[in-house]
C-alpha cells in the first residue's frame, strides 16, 4: 500500500487543490497514468501516478486544498476487496490521551484533515507504528517526556478509532455492509470494461464465484434485453460513479479564475529570485537575415498549416547554445549548481486572463524544427486549457520569454528559480544594418540574457548569446 | 534415432568430453560400475581413468574438489547419486560454488556442472526419492535445469558446460528408461526458456521433469472432456521464465502448477506467487497446485503412488480451475 501524495509541480508550489479525480477506486493505474487534476496557484495540471497498483481510496475530497506531500490517495499493490473503512478516518479524530480530557461528546469535530500544527515529536519506531495503524502522529497529544508521542498514545488512538469505526458501522446496519461478491479478478476487470454490475450475477466458477464467462453472458443478455429478472441494464459506469459529490467547477472556470492568485504566486517567486539570485544582464542584437531568408524559402514549399515561424528557429538555436554552454542550463540548489545533460526549454506562455506559466519543451535540443513547432503549439494550447502535466512544470532547465508578439523590443527577464538563466526575445524588426562596409535593411531581434552570477559571468554569458547568433546564421543546420 | 533418456545423457557426456579436453566426469561409481543408474557405462573404457573418476563416498569432498577444479580451469561434471545425498555437499554448493563469483568481486567464475538424480516412483524409500530441486532454485548464483525430454537430456549438458557459473542438472530417476525418438543431429539447447509443449486455451498446466508425462496424460484426458489445456515444461527452475508462464496464463486465465516437491515453500509456491503478483487481473480462478503429500516418500508401492502427483489429480485440479465439473 503506497500513499499517493500531492506532488510539487514547481519550485513555488506549496499547496494544491484537487479539482478532479481522473480515476476511481478499484482502477488499476500504471506509473505515469493520470490520476487527478490539481489546481495550483498558477494553473490546473494533471498529475500522474508514481506507483503501479489499484487505487484503494481517496484521502481528500474534491475541492480540498492540501500541502505538498500530503497523501491524497492510497494505491494498493493488490486490489482492496471491499474497501476497508479508511484508516484515515481515525486520525481525523482528535484522539484524546490520558492527560487531556476528551472533547465534550456533543461537540462535533469537522472531519477536515488535522490542521498544520507543529509536528509532535515521536521516535522513528513510534512513527512507524502510527503509520502501520493508520494514525496520524500530528493529530496526537503526546504523553511522553516533553510532550513526545509514545507507543501507548498511538495504540490508544488506534484502538479508539477502530472501536468507533466498528460502532458506526453497526449503527448504520447492513446497508453499508454489502456482502462481498465472490468473483475472479479477470471477471472484475471484464465487468468494469463492459459496465456490468457483479451484484446478483449467478457464479459458475469455483465456489460459486463469478467468472469471466458469467460476466460476458450477463452483458450479452443485458444487451439483447431478452433476459428476464436480470439485473438492471448495466450502465457504463463513468468515473463519476465514485460519487464525488463535492462541488465541481469546470476547468475553464478554474483557469479563468486565477489571475489574482497567479499574480501573487508569480510575485512571491520573483521576489525570492531577485533576493537570492545575483542577476547579471547582457543584451545583443541577433542578425536574422539568413534565418528569415531560409525560412521563407522553406515555407514557400509548404502548406500554410505547416509553415515555420521565427520563434521555432530562435528556440532551437537557444536550446543548442544552452547545450553547448552548460553553465546556463541546470538547477542551482542547496548551494550548488548541477548542470543538466538535456535542455528542457521552458517557454513562457501568457495566459489569456493574465499571468504566465513556463512549461518545458523536453529535450528541445534534439527536436527537429517541425517537432518543436508541433510541441510548442500543443504546449501553448494545453497551458491555456489548464492541461499541463507535472513534469512539464517542474522540469525546465532554462527559460525563454518571447514578448515579440506584443511589440516589445527587448525584455530583461527574472530568473525562475532554481534555474540559472533566462533568455528574453523581443520583436523581429527591420533595421538598417551595416555589414562589410555596406548598409542594408535586415531582420533583427534583440536577445537578452539574465543569468546567475553564482554560476557564470559575463564571459560565459556572452559566449552563450554569440553562439545563438552563430547558429542562426546557418539556419539549415538547426 | 531410437534412444532412451539414459542413452541421451550418456551421449551428451561423450560429446562433451570429445569436444573439450577440460571436461571430466567424477562421482561415486561412475567409472568401473558405470554409474549408479548406468548412465556412464562404457565411458571409463573410452576416456580412461583420468577423465572418468571414481570418488570415495564423500559428497562434500568430491563436490569441493569439483569446485577447485573448475576454479583451476577445468570443466568438471560432478555426479551425485541422488539429490538426498547432495545435502552432504550443501555447504560446498550453496556457500562456495554459488557465492564465489559474487564474493570475489567478479574475479572467479565457477564453471561447474553437477548432475544428480531426483524424484520418486521407484520404491527406493525416502532416502532416495525426494525432490529438492526447488530448494536449490532458491539460491542465487545457481542455474537449475530439469531436463524432461530426450532432447533436453541430450542438449542441456553442453550448454551448461558453456555457462561460466555453476549449473545443477536434475535428472528424474523415473525417466532413464523412457525411450523415444531423438533427432540424429540433436545438440545443445538454450537454457533460458520454458517450452510450451502443447498449446491450449482453457487452462495452463505448468510442470517440469518427472511429472511431465503425467501432465501430458492429463491434458489428453482433459481434451476428451472438451477442456483444451496448454502444457508448459519449465525446463529451467532458476532463472524462471516468467514471460512464458505469464504469457500463457494471460491467454488461458487459469493455472495448475504440478510439482513433485512438497507444497509448502516449493517452486510451485514461487510460481503461484508470481502469477498472483503479475497476472492477478488475468486470473479467472484461483491457481491450483498438485504436489506431493507432505510426508517422507513411502516405500510401499501403493502408498508411494498415493503420495505423488498423478494424471488423475492433475485432471481434477484442472476441472476445478475451469469450473466445468468441479
Amino acid at each position: 500500500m503506497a500513499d499517493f501524495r500531492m506532488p510539487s509541480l514547481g519550485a513555488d508550489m506549496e499547496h494544491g487543490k484537487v479539482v478532479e479525480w481522473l480515476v476511481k477506486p478499484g482502477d488499476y493505474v500504471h506509473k505515469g497514468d493520470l490520476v487527478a487534476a490539481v489546481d495550483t496557484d498558477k494553473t490546473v495540471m494533471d498529475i500522474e501516478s508514481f506507483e503501479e497498483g489499484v487505487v484503494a481510496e481517496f484521502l481528500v475530497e474534491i475541492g480540498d486544498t492540501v500541502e505538498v506531500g500530503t497523501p491524497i490517495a492510497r494505491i494498493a499493490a493488490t486490489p482492496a476487496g471491499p474497501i476497508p473503512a479508511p484508516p484515515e478516518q481515525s486520525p481525523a479524530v482528535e484522539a484524546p490521551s490520558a492527560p487531556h480530557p476528551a472533547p465534550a461528546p456533543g461537540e462535533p469535530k469537522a472531519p477536515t484533515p488535522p490542521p498544520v500544527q507543529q509536528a509532535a515529536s515521536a521516535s522513528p519506531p513510534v512513527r512507524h507504528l502510527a503509520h502501520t495503524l493508520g494514525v496520524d502522529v500530528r493529530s496526537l497529544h503526546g504523553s511522553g517526556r516533553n510532550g513526545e508521542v509514545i507507543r501507548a498514545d498511538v495504540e490508544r488512538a488506534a484502538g479508539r478509532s477502530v472501536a468507533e469505526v466498528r460502532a458506526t458501522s453497526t449503527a448504520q446496519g447492513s446497508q453499508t455492509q454489502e456482502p462481498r461478491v465472490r468473483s475472479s479478478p479477470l471477471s472484475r476487470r471484464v465487468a468494469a470494461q463492459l459496465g456490468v454490475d457483479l451484484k446478483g450475477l449467478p457464479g459458475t466458477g469455483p465456489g460459486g464465484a463469478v467468472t469471466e464467462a458469467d460476466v460476458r453472458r450477463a452483458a450479452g443478455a443485458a444487451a439483447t434485453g431478452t433476459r428476464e429478472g436480470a439485473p438492471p441494464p448495466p450502465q457504463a459506469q463513468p468515473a463519476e460513479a465514485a460519487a464525488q459529490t463535492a462541488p465541481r467547477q469546470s476547468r475553464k472556470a478554474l483557469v479563468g479564475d486565477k489571475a489574482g492568485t497567479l499574480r501573487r504566486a508569480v510575485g512571491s517567486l520573483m521576489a525570492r529570485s531577485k533576493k537570492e539570485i545575483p542577476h547579471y544582464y547582457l543584451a545583443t542584437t541577433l542578425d536574422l537575415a539568413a534565418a528569415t531568408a531560409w525560412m521563407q524559402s522553406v515555407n514557400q514549399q509548404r502548406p500554410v498549416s505547416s509553415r515555420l515561424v521565427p520563434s521555432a528557429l530562435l528556440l532551437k538555436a537557444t536550446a543548442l547554445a544552452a547545450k553547448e554552454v552548460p553553465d546556463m542550463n541546470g538547477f542551482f540548489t542547496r548551494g550548488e549548481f548541477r548542470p543538466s545533460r538535456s535542455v528542457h526549454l521552458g517557454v513562457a506562455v501568457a495566459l489569456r486572463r493574465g499571468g504566465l506559466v513556463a512549461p518545458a519543451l523536453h529535450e528541445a535540443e534534439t527536436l527537429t524544427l517541425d517537432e518543436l513547432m508541433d510541441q510548442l503549439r500543443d504546449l501553448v494550447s494545453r497551458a491555456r486549457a489548464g492541461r499541463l502535466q507535472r513534469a512539464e512544470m517542474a522540469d525546465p532547465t532554462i527559460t525563454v520569454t518571447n514578448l515579440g508578439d506584443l511589440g516589445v523590443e527587448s525584455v530583461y527577464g527574472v530568473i525562475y528559480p532554481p534555474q540559472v538563466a533566462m533568455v528574453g526575445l523581443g520583436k523581429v524588426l527591420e533595421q538598417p544594418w551595416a555589414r562589410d562596409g555596406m548598409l542594408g535593411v535586415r531582420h533583427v531581434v534583440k536577445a537578452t540574457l539574465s543569468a546567475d552570477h553564482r554560476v557564470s559571468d559575463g564571459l560565459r554569458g556572452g559566449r552563450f548569446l554569440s553562439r545563438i547568433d552563430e547558429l542562426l546564421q546557418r539556419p539549415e543546420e538547426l | 534415432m531410437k534412444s532412451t533418456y539414459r542413452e541421451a545423457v550418456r551421449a551428451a557426456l561423450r560429446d562433451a568430453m570429445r569436444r573439450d579436453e577440460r571436461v571430466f566426469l567424477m562421482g561415486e561409481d561412475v567409472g568401473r560400475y558405470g554409474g549408479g543408474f548406468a548412465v556412464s557405462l562404457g565411458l571409463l573404457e573410452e576416456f580412461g581413468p583420468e577423465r572418468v573418476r571414481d570418488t570415495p563416498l564423500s559428497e562434500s569432498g568430491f563436490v569441493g574438489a569439483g569446485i577447485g577444479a573448475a576454479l583451476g580451469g577445468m570443466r568438471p561434471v560432478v555426479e551425485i547419486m541422488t539429490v538426498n545425498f547432495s545435502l552432504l555437499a550443501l555447504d560446498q554448493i550453496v556457500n562456495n560454488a554459488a557465492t564465489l563469483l559474487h564474493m570475489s568481486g567478479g574475479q572467479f567464475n565457477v564453471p561447474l556442472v553437477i548432475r544428480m538424480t531426483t524424484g520418486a516412483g521407484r520404491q527406493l524409500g525416502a532416502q532416495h526419492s525426494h525432490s529438492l530441486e526447488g530448494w536449490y532454485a532458491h539460491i542465487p548464483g545457481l542455474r537449475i535445469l530439469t531436463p524432461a525430454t530426450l532432447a533436453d537430456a541430450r542438449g542441456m549438458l553442453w550448454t551448461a558446460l558453456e555457462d561460466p557459473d555453476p549449473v545443477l542438472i536434475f535428472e528424474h530417476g523415473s525417466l532413464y528408461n523412457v525411450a523415444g525418438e531423438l533427432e540424429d543431429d540433436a545438440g545443445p539447447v538454450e537454457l533460458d526458456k520454458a517450452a510450451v509443449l502443447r498449446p491450449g486455451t482453457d487452462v495452463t498446466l505448468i510442470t517440469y521433469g518427472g511429472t511431465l508425462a503425467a501432465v501430458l496424460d492429463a491434458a489428453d484426458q482433459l481434451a476428451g472432456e472438451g477442456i483444451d489445456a496448454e502444457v508448459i515444461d519449465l525446463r529451467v527452475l532458476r532463472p524462471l521464465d516468467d514471460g512464458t508462464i505469464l504469457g500463457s496464463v494471460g491467454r488461458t486465465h487459469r493455472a495448475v502448477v504440478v510439482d513433485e516437491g512438497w507444497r509448502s515453500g516449493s517452486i510451485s509456491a514461487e510460481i503461484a506467487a508470481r502469477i498472483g503478483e503479475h497476472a492477478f487481473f488475468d486470473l479467472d480462478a484461483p491457481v491450483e497446485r498438485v504436489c506431493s503429500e507432505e510426508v517422507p516418500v513411502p516405500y510401499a508401492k501403493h502408498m508411494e503412488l498415493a503420495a505423488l502427483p498423478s494424471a488423475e489429480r492433475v485432471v481434477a485440479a484442472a476441472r476445478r480451475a475451469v469450473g466445468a465439473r468441479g
Side-chain angles (χ1 to χ4, degrees):
Chain A
M1 187 81 83
D3 285 337
F4 179 73
R5 293 167 188 280
M6 174 65 71
S8 170
L9 305 169
D12 52 334
M13 174 167 164
E14 287 169 356
H15 45 76
K17 176 157 89 173
V18 177
V19 296
E20 185 178 355
W21 288 110
L22 304 174
V23 294
K24 58 184 187 304
D27 279 359
Y28 198 78
V29 292
H30 295 90
K31 279 180 197 169
D33 286 355
L34 299 181
V35 172
V38 163
D39 184 13
T40 68
D41 284 342
K42 298 190 123 185
T43 183
V44 178
M45 268 184 274
D46 294 329
I47 56 179
E48 69 264 26
S49 179
F50 296 104
E51 305 285 341
E52 178 168 350
V54 174
V55 177
E57 56 175 325
F58 297 145
L59 304 178
V60 301
E61 307 254 318
I62 285 185
D64 284 352
T65 298
V66 296
E67 275 187 83
V68 167
T70 309
I72 59 174
R74 274 184 205 282
I75 295 184
T78 54
I83 290 173
E88 250 0 66
Q89 281 178 357
S90 43
V93 177
E94 296 262 337
S97 52
H100 301 271
E107 186 183 327
K109 283 276 180 187
T112 47
V116 193
Q117 31 183 276
Q118 61 191 46
S121 78
S123 67
V126 171
R127 281 205 300 276
H128 178 77
L129 176 71
H131 181 78
T132 314
L133 296 177
V135 172
D136 187 347
V137 174
R138 287 176 305 176
S139 70
L140 301 184
H141 296 286
S143 60
R145 211 162 23 146
N146 300 329
E148 188 175 4
V149 174
I150 60 173
R151 190 167 273 271
D153 299 330
V154 173
E155 283 169 351
R156 198 155 36 231
R160 192 182 122 90
S161 61
V162 167
E164 273 175 8
V165 168
R166 202 170 291 142
T168 50
S169 68
T170 43
Q172 284 167 353
S174 57
Q175 66 189 39
T176 53
Q177 295 281 325
E178 289 281 355
R180 177 176 153 76
V181 178
R182 278 178 74 89
S183 54
S184 76
L186 179 66
S187 73
R188 292 203 290 276
R189 196 182 77 192
V190 172
Q193 280 163 3
L194 299 177
V196 172
D197 189 349
L198 288 175
K199 277 202 295 285
L201 278 192
T204 62
V210 174
T211 65
E212 181 206 9
D214 300 330
V215 171
R216 292 201 186 277
R217 209 173 299 132
T224 53
T226 53
R227 192 171 144 165
E228 287 183 29
Q235 302 287 328
Q237 291 191 334
E240 289 86 298
Q244 296 300 336
T245 49
R248 301 176 54 161
Q249 280 175 283
S250 76
R251 269 171 195 259
K252 222 169 189 170
L254 278 163
V255 174
D257 240 12
K258 328 202 42 57
T261 51
L262 179 53
R263 173 57 46 224
R264 279 194 294 281
V266 172
S268 78
L269 185 69
M270 292 300 108
R272 192 182 120 200
S273 172
K274 279 283 201 175
K275 231 182 293 174
E276 291 176 5
I277 302 179
H279 285 63
Y280 67 88
Y281 302 95
L282 304 174
T284 190
T285 304
L286 305 175
D287 173 7
L288 290 187
T292 44
W294 177 81
M295 191 182 75
Q296 276 162 5
S297 75
V298 169
N299 280 347
Q300 271 171 3
Q301 294 151 28
R302 292 181 172 216
V304 176
S305 59
S306 60
R307 285 185 182 166
L308 297 173
V309 297
S311 293
L313 279 69
L314 289 164
L315 291 176
K316 181 70 191 292
T318 307
L320 287 172
K323 173 84 179 167
E324 290 178 31
V325 186
D327 284 352
M328 302 296 140
N329 185 50
F331 294 146
F332 190 94
T333 45
R334 274 167 284 168
E336 179 181 38
F337 175 61
R338 284 177 299 119
S340 166
R341 217 169 286 164
S342 298
V343 180
H344 304 308
L345 195 65
V347 183
V349 178
L351 301 180
R352 297 227 163 84
R353 307 282 178 97
L356 281 173
V357 288
L361 286 170
H362 283 117
E363 296 178 7
E365 82 279 19
T366 66
L367 301 177
T368 65
L369 289 173
D370 289 315
E371 288 167 348
L372 197 146
M373 289 278 299
D374 283 348
Q375 295 196 12
L376 185 62
R377 221 173 279 132
D378 173 54
L379 206 58
V380 170
S381 67
R382 281 190 298 116
R384 291 183 174 153
R387 280 275 173 193
L388 292 173
Q389 291 178 20
R390 189 200 61 80
E392 289 164 342
M393 285 304 281
D395 286 354
T397 53
I398 176 171
T399 296
V400 174
T401 178
N402 184 346
L403 293 187
D405 293 352
L406 307 174
V408 173
E409 286 184 21
S410 50
V411 47
Y412 292 86
V414 181
I415 299 168
Y416 191 103
Q419 297 166 42
V420 298
M422 161 78 85
V423 175
L425 297 171
K427 183 181 180 180
V428 179
L429 300 166
E430 279 192 300
Q431 277 198 350
W433 189 261
R435 181 155 186 154
D436 300 332
M438 299 287 286
L439 193 62
V441 174
R442 291 199 171 216
H443 284 104
V444 298
V445 67
K446 281 260 171 54
T448 64
L449 171 70
S450 313
D452 187 336
H453 236 319
R454 296 171 300 183
V455 177
S456 64
D457 50 35
L459 192 72
R460 303 294 290 165
R463 164 141 174 67
F464 172 68
L465 282 182
S466 64
R467 190 63 197 135
I468 296 177
D469 192 44
E470 284 165 30
L471 288 161
L472 287 168
Q473 303 317 310
R474 292 192 304 278
E476 65 284 353
E477 291 172 20
L478 287 175
Chain B
M1 170 175 66
K2 276 274 177 203
S3 174
T4 61
Y5 187 93
R6 173 183 290 113
E7 286 160 1
V9 178
R10 187 185 301 143
L13 283 164
R14 182 181 285 125
D15 175 50
M17 288 204 275
R18 285 183 183 162
R19 277 185 197 231
D20 189 337
E21 282 284 301
R22 298 171 300 173
V23 174
F24 71 99
L25 175 68
M26 69 170 154
E28 292 157 1
D29 287 340
V30 298
R32 289 177 191 282
Y33 188 69
F37 298 91
V39 166
S40 51
L41 205 61
L43 295 181
L44 175 66
E45 289 77 3
E46 190 173 345
F47 294 98
E50 287 289 306
R51 300 187 65 195
V52 182
R53 305 185 70 108
D54 278 324
T55 62
L57 273 169
S58 173
E59 280 76 7
S60 184
F62 67 75
V63 171
I67 293 170
L71 287 169
M74 301 297 283
R75 292 291 179 272
V77 178
V78 175
E79 179 178 308
I80 300 177
M81 212 175 279
T82 81
V83 66
N84 297 67
F85 308 156
S86 76
L87 302 191
L88 294 158
L90 206 56
D91 175 55
Q92 294 291 3
I93 298 171
V94 174
N95 287 327
N96 289 327
T99 59
L100 273 167
L101 177 66
H102 177 80
M103 294 181 68
S104 68
Q107 297 181 81
F108 300 125
N109 292 95
V110 182
L112 169 71
V113 173
I114 303 175
R115 295 174 41 242
M116 57 185 114
T117 312
T118 186
R122 294 159 297 138
Q123 277 200 276
L124 292 177
Q127 320 79 319
H128 303 86
S129 299
H130 288 156
S131 293
L132 305 179
E133 53 276 3
W135 285 9
Y136 287 102
H138 174 67
I139 311 296
L142 301 179
R143 180 184 284 271
I144 307 301
L145 307 182
T146 53
T149 62
L150 293 186
D152 282 352
R154 173 67 183 81
M156 280 184 167
L157 181 72
W158 180 253
T159 323
L161 281 162
E162 297 217 298
D163 191 316
D165 301 313
V167 179
L168 273 55
I169 304 179
F170 290 85
E171 298 159 9
H172 195 282
S174 68
L175 290 173
Y176 288 122
N177 286 327
V178 170
E181 201 58 39
L182 184 65
E183 297 292 325
D184 289 337
D185 57 351
V189 296
E190 60 155 347
L191 296 184
D192 292 316
K193 288 277 171 203
V196 177
L197 292 187
R198 174 188 177 123
T201 54
D202 294 335
V203 58
T204 301
L205 309 180
I206 300 166
T207 191
Y208 67 91
T211 43
L212 177 62
V215 169
L216 287 170
D217 185 8
D220 281 341
Q221 292 184 34
L222 289 164
E225 302 176 12
I227 298 173
D228 188 9
E230 180 150 309
V231 175
I232 292 181
D233 173 11
L234 291 172
R235 302 175 72 236
V236 185
L237 301 193
R238 186 184 186 96
L240 274 175
D241 177 9
D242 288 345
T244 299
I245 297 170
L246 299 174
S248 177
V249 174
R251 290 189 297 276
T252 65
H253 309 300
R254 296 162 197 97
V256 177
V257 188
V258 184
D259 174 12
E260 200 178 305
W262 295 301
R263 173 184 303 251
S264 304
S266 61
I267 190 76
S268 63
E270 175 65 25
I271 292 164
R274 290 194 192 192
I275 293 171
E277 283 169 344
H278 302 295
F280 186 82
F281 292 100
D282 287 326
L283 285 177
D284 207 20
V287 176
E288 292 274 348
R289 287 193 282 158
V290 179
C291 299
S292 287
E293 294 302 322
E294 302 214 6
V295 294
V297 173
Y299 174 83
K301 184 164 190 174
H302 62 291
M303 289 179 70
E304 183 178 33
L305 289 178
L308 299 177
S310 62
E312 287 65 40
R313 290 176 60 198
V314 176
V315 167
R319 281 189 198 136
R320 281 194 300 275
V322 174
R325 298 154 191 84

